[in-house]
Amino acid sequence: MAIFALQSLAGGFLDEDLHSFNKYFDDWCIQFESYEDAMDIVQTLEDPESIDVVEITPLSYPKYFFNSLQGTIYATRQIDDKIICVVEPYIGSSFRIAICDLKTKNVRLTKTTYKNIPSIENAFSNFGESF
């Protein structure tokens, strides 16, 4: 299920008070169930041209909900209540598979490292219930 949030063009997400922007998306940020509801609020704000409505889907959750997950995320998929990601923790490092738990908000990196995207593709596509 997708949710919608209000993001400043300069960065940050609109807080519940509708005045300040949080650097990271968190529980204090205002959330909407539909694009239309979000747009209704945008139109009431002082400078609506400087605010975008952002759709957050389960596959983009790691970017928004898991601040402890550092690095570049190349691919994501959802298995039950977990988001599985291919991540490069820092530039030039080996790739890893990250397991992000939607219920507990915990992030765990697998021990196996991969030198390039083709080498991790098979592991990622066959990653199953064994986590």
Side-chain angles (χ1 to χ4, degrees), residues 67-114:
N67 294 329
S68 64
L69 182 61
Q70 300 297 312
T72 305
I73 300 169
Y74 289 94
T76 59
R77 64 187 266 225
Q78 184 173 5
I79 300 175
D80 298 326
D81 60 348
K82 301 203 177 12
I83 303 291
I84 312 304
C85 310
V86 172
V87 64
E88 182 182 25
Y90 53 90
I91 295 175
S93 69
S94 295
F95 296 92
R96 308 274 295 270
I97 293 178
I99 304 161
C100 306
D101 191 309
L102 292 169
K103 289 182 180 176
T104 65
K105 302 288 191 231
N106 289 333
V107 175
R108 181 172 59 90
L109 294 176
T110 59
K111 293 180 183 178
T112 307
T113 60
Y114 303 87

Side-chain angles (χ1 to χ4, degrees), residues 49-61:
E49 295 83 27
S50 68
I51 299 173
D52 279 336
V53 176
V54 178
E55 181 178 14
I56 302 172
T57 65
L59 296 182
S60 66
Y61 283 174

Side-chain angles (χ1 to χ4, degrees), residues 28-49:
W28 298 105
C29 295
I30 190 166
Q31 301 174 26
F32 302 93
E33 292 184 12
S34 73
Y35 179 83
E36 292 77 20
D37 291 344
M39 283 305 297
D40 288 344
I41 295 298
V42 168
Q43 298 308 318
T44 67
L45 299 174
E46 188 172 311
D47 190 11
E49 295 83 27

